[in-house]
Amino acid sequence: MKRAHYILCFLLFGVTIPLFAQDISLFQQFNGRYDYVAIGNTLNIQENGSFVPCIIETSSSADLNLNANQNVVAAYLYWAGSGSGDFDITLNGSSVSAERTFSDSLDAERIFFAAFADVTSIISNEGNGTYTISDFDLTNVIGPYCSTGTNFGGWAISIIYEDDSLPLNQLNVYDGLQSVPTFLSITLDNLNVLDNEDAKIGFIAWEGDSALAVNEQLTINGNVISNPPLNPANNAFNGTNSFTGASDMYNMDIDVYNIQNNISIGDTSATISLTSGQDFVMINNIITVLNSQLPDATIIIDDYIVRCGDYNIDLFYTVNNFNSTDILPANTPIAFYLDGTLIGQSQTVNPIAIGASESGSITVTVPENTNPNLTITAIVDDDGTMTGTITETNENNNTTSSNIELLVIPDIVTLPSLIGCNEGFEISTYNLFDALVNLDYEDDQISFYLSLEDLETSSNAILIPSDYNNIFNPQIIYVRLESPPCYEIFQFNLTIENCPPYIPDGFSPNDDTYNDWFNIQGLYDIFTEHELKIYNRYGDIIFEGDNEKPWYGKINRGLNNHGKIVPVGTYYYVINLNDPNYRPMVGWVYVNY
């Protein structure tokens, strides 16, 4: 019977169910020595129709028989049926819930569902044997579908395996849910046909009827394909399993076709078309297996290094050739972009074997006005114009991005100067930590430097900051306070003032070579422009000296006694240091013999 196909939404049991189909598209790709097999079974006890019993099972079984050298790498379970869906079922006693769901419809009353779950772990653990789907219960919803012959339920598992004896193949898994009547066209992309020998295509389809063969044809690239006697050209979906030869898969199909003569070397896509004058068929899964010897370059940015105030970024990356069927050649170009602008180029060094990787690094420079929060994009197999130079199994996975934060140099905070005492030659000793009295820090957070360059690179730190002699006067000292993720910068000056001289209380000019003169320490080496005046107790000036004329207790002023030693007694002194930081120093000195 001919059935119209509507696109609408229907509210069922309080749930809005989309009744439009989901386009078949690439779900997963395997490149290597891969092939597949599919098992499954129907829940129908016979082909549906208006004059058959309206009975559907809740479980059914199928056997898996892989060879010893066929190792399971993936197993995908699809199940489907009439109604809005049973999405929680059991496989060999293990609960399975739908990870993705699909839906389609003929009209508001006749809606259908399909579901998907990855059951790789179950198949890998149990291996060959009987697989039983149970707790798949459509008994409460199947009744209204029986009168129009659209009552069905079934399941299938596609098992992808690796076998070292196989050629290098590209195996693509496509899925969705699309249906006929009257005409259905599906374009399969992401193909890379290197050699069409033994190329094949497989289908999981639902609701096909062996008794309905009105204008039913399956074509690929315009060519009718068939697999007689199991799948004749005029009845492709007729309740069969090409892998086992079963013809009692009522209202479901697990079919595979050789398409060696229907696809050409160099093809990157194929068009599947299905026509039907009466039979309603839903395509749920398509798998292609094509000989392919191509690399597959991917790239990841593993790490990066940024430096404070530096617009150069060190990038560390890895180029992979994982999902491939050929060596990735040496000198495969790599381009690095910031906001679509090329900022660096590199290339692989060595040929990268199938399943192998190569690490590399590059320093890129971003403009100085760049936002500190930036994203760098790396593209492998890119000659710098966003154009590839090699053909790959997958041309859409060459790109990666990394979010990077530049370390902007913080503003420099100026601290009060440290003032040292001139110990001669404008050198003094400082405890540099004294400049940080107003900061809150731990000792291991602080380091001192003589230049900003050393501070930024954390090199040549002052080793003993608590006992440091200045090199210049004045001298700038830079402080780095670690404060993740960046740091703070301070600076302060070391300056020197002349030390106040030490004035003795007395001396004895008796020529015994000990304490023979008015030895004012720090006066003659530092205050070289000083003036010294000595007065007796009557206020008479008796001596004037300077840096060239220290006082040895002799008189050089007044009318008499020039050159004579003063008598024992106390004398008043006035020292004008001629230093803007000091007032004249005055006091008494005792002279004794």
Side-chain angles (χ1 to χ4, degrees):
M1 65 186 71
K2 188 170 182 177
R3 308 173 178 97
H5 185 199
Y6 298 93
I7 299 177
L8 43 84
C9 247
F10 179 62
L11 189 65
L12 182 65
F13 303 121
V15 179
T16 302
I17 301 172
L19 302 185
F20 50 86
Q22 293 79 53
D23 288 350
I24 300 289
S25 61
L26 181 67
F27 169 64
Q28 193 61 268
Q29 184 180 84
F30 300 85
N31 290 280
R33 302 186 188 280
Y34 299 112
D35 204 341
Y36 91 106
V37 68
I39 64 172
N41 209 343
T42 182
L43 298 182
N44 288 38
I45 61 172
Q46 61 187 84
E47 190 163 282
N48 60 20
S50 55
F51 300 106
V52 298
C54 188
I55 299 173
I56 194 164
E57 304 287 350
T58 60
S59 67
S60 63
S61 302
D63 295 332
L64 176 63
N65 295 292
L66 293 176
N67 296 333
N69 58 337
Q70 296 174 339
N71 300 309
V72 174
V73 295
Y76 300 141
L77 169 62
Y78 295 86
W79 69 99
S82 306
S84 58
D86 183 355
F87 299 121
D88 297 289
I89 61 175
T90 302
L91 173 59
N92 280 17
S94 297
S95 297
V96 176
S97 296
E99 298 171 17
R100 294 182 296 137
T101 62
F102 313 91
S103 60
D104 204 348
S105 69
L106 274 166
D107 50 42
E109 285 74 36
R110 290 176 294 179
I111 62 173
F112 309 97
F113 80 95
F116 165 92
D118 187 328
V119 293
T120 305
S121 60
I122 297 175
I123 303 298
S124 297
N125 291 336
E126 298 200 13
N128 288 337
T130 299
Y131 286 86
T132 300
I133 289 290
S134 56
D135 299 319
F136 184 2
D137 193 353
L138 303 179
T139 54
N140 291 331
V141 299
I142 205 72
Y145 293 83
C146 295
S147 61
T148 57
T150 54
N151 52 303
F152 81 96
W155 61 274
I157 304 175
S158 295
I159 300 102
I160 294 91
Y161 60 83
E162 188 173 23
D163 185 340
D164 289 340
S165 65
L166 290 171
L168 291 167
N169 293 323
Q170 180 189 79
L171 187 152
N172 284 354
V173 179
Y174 304 84
D175 62 19
L177 194 62
Q178 290 184 259
S179 60
V180 292
T182 303
F183 174 78
L184 173 64
S185 179
I186 300 171
T187 298
L188 306 180
D189 54 12
N190 292 95
L191 300 179
N192 286 288
V193 183
L194 180 69
D195 184 347
N196 60 4
E197 183 177 357
D198 294 329
K200 62 183 177 183
I201 189 169
F203 298 86
I204 295 174
W206 311 111
E207 227 294 300
D209 297 277
S210 62
L212 298 178
V214 179
N215 295 326
E216 184 174 313
Q217 281 191 334
L218 178 63
T219 66
I220 181 168
N221 292 338
N223 301 316
V224 177
I225 59 175
S226 63
N227 181 25
L230 200 64
N231 300 109
N234 66 343
N235 197 3
F237 298 99
N238 55 354
T240 58
N241 184 338
S242 301
F243 292 98
T244 63
S247 58
D248 58 353
M249 307 282 290
Y250 305 125
N251 304 111
M252 64 172 288
D253 284 86
I254 302 176
D255 293 326
V256 64
Y257 298 86
N258 184 294
I259 56 172
Q260 177 173 319
N261 298 322
N262 299 284
I263 197 165
S264 300
I265 295 173
D267 283 357
T268 59
S269 64
T271 299
I272 308 298
S273 298
L274 175 62
T275 60
S276 176
Q278 187 173 358
D279 199 2
F280 177 67
V281 178
M282 291 179 288
I283 307 295
N284 195 183
N285 166 272
I286 300 175
I287 293 181
T288 59
V289 182
L290 305 169
N291 185 254
S292 173
Q293 294 182 30
L294 294 174
D296 184 36
T298 61
I299 187 170
I300 57 173
I301 296 177
D302 303 301
D303 201 0
Y304 63 88
I305 295 176
V306 294
R307 301 170 187 84
C308 199
D310 194 345
Y311 290 90
N312 297 312
I313 303 171
D314 296 337
L315 297 174
F316 301 89
Y317 59 86
T318 299
V319 175
N320 304 307
N321 187 30
F322 288 159
N323 193 24
S324 61
T325 53
D326 200 4
I327 294 171
L328 181 68
N331 304 318
T332 298
I334 308 166
F336 298 86
Y337 296 90
L338 173 65
D339 297 330
T341 300
L342 183 69
I343 58 172
Q345 289 181 276
S346 184
Q347 60 185 19
T348 59
V349 177
N350 304 299
I352 303 177
I354 296 171
S357 303
E358 179 183 280
S359 295
S361 64
I362 186 176
T363 299
V364 298
T365 303
V366 300
E368 292 190 6
N369 60 351
T370 300
N371 188 308
N373 297 303
L374 56 90
T375 299
I376 289 181
T377 299
I379 306 178
V380 63
D381 188 25
D382 180 352
D383 63 4
T385 65
M386 295 191 175
T387 302
T389 62
I390 61 174
T391 303
E392 305 176 63
T393 59
N394 186 348
E395 300 287 359
N396 300 315
N397 62 350
N398 300 123
T399 301
T400 189
S401 295
S402 180
N403 296 324
I404 294 175
E405 182 178 357
L406 297 178
L407 298 179
V408 180
I409 291 181
D411 293 334
I412 300 176
V413 178
T414 300
L415 302 174
S417 299
L418 288 184
I419 300 174
C421 178
N422 188 356
E423 300 169 356
F425 306 103
E426 295 190 330
I427 294 176
S428 186
T429 302
Y430 301 85
N431 182 349
L432 302 183
F433 289 101
D434 290 344
L436 313 182
V437 292
N438 294 322
L439 299 183
D440 184 15
Y441 64 91
E442 301 290 337
D443 285 352
D444 59 1
Q445 293 177 284
I446 290 291
S447 50
F448 298 88
Y449 300 89
L450 300 183
S451 70
L452 268 178
E453 291 76 13
D454 285 347
L455 181 147
E456 291 168 8
T457 58
S458 296
S459 59
N460 303 314
I462 294 174
L463 296 179
I464 309 176
S466 60
D467 185 21
Y468 177 75
N469 292 329
N470 64 297
I471 301 173
F472 309 105
N473 180 32
Q475 180 179 353
I476 299 176
I477 299 295
Y478 297 94
V479 185
R480 176 171 173 145
L481 172 58
E482 300 298 340
S483 179
C486 195
Y487 52 85
E488 297 178 68
I489 300 177
F490 302 89
Q491 73 174 48
F492 59 89
N493 283 338
L494 300 180
T495 61
I496 289 180
E497 292 183 356
N498 292 328
C499 304
Y502 172 75
I503 303 174
D505 294 331
F507 66 99
S508 56
N510 56 11
D511 294 326
D512 62 358
T513 71
Y514 177 75
N515 200 25
D516 284 334
W517 61 293
F518 191 19
N519 184 9
I520 303 173
Q521 298 176 20
L523 178 66
Y524 297 95
D525 293 333
I526 298 173
F527 298 95
T528 59
E529 302 298 322
H530 76 273
E531 297 172 350
L532 173 64
K533 294 181 179 182
I534 304 296
Y535 298 84
N536 62 22
R537 59 181 177 170
Y538 303 110
D540 300 322
I541 186 167
I542 61 171
F543 178 82
E544 286 187 281
D546 55 25
N547 210 54
E548 302 298 325
K549 292 186 292 185
W551 189 38
Y552 285 90
K554 295 181 179 182
I555 299 171
N556 69 0
R557 288 293 182 268
L559 297 177
N560 300 310
N561 301 321
H562 276 245
K564 292 184 178 182
I565 298 293
V566 298
V568 172
T570 301
Y571 295 86
Y572 187 76
Y573 63 81
V574 176
I575 305 173
N576 184 6
L577 299 175
N578 285 320
D579 187 308
N581 294 318
Y582 291 94
R583 295 179 179 179
M585 304 179 74
V586 298
W588 296 91
V589 59
Y590 180 69
V591 179
N592 191 16
Y593 301 102

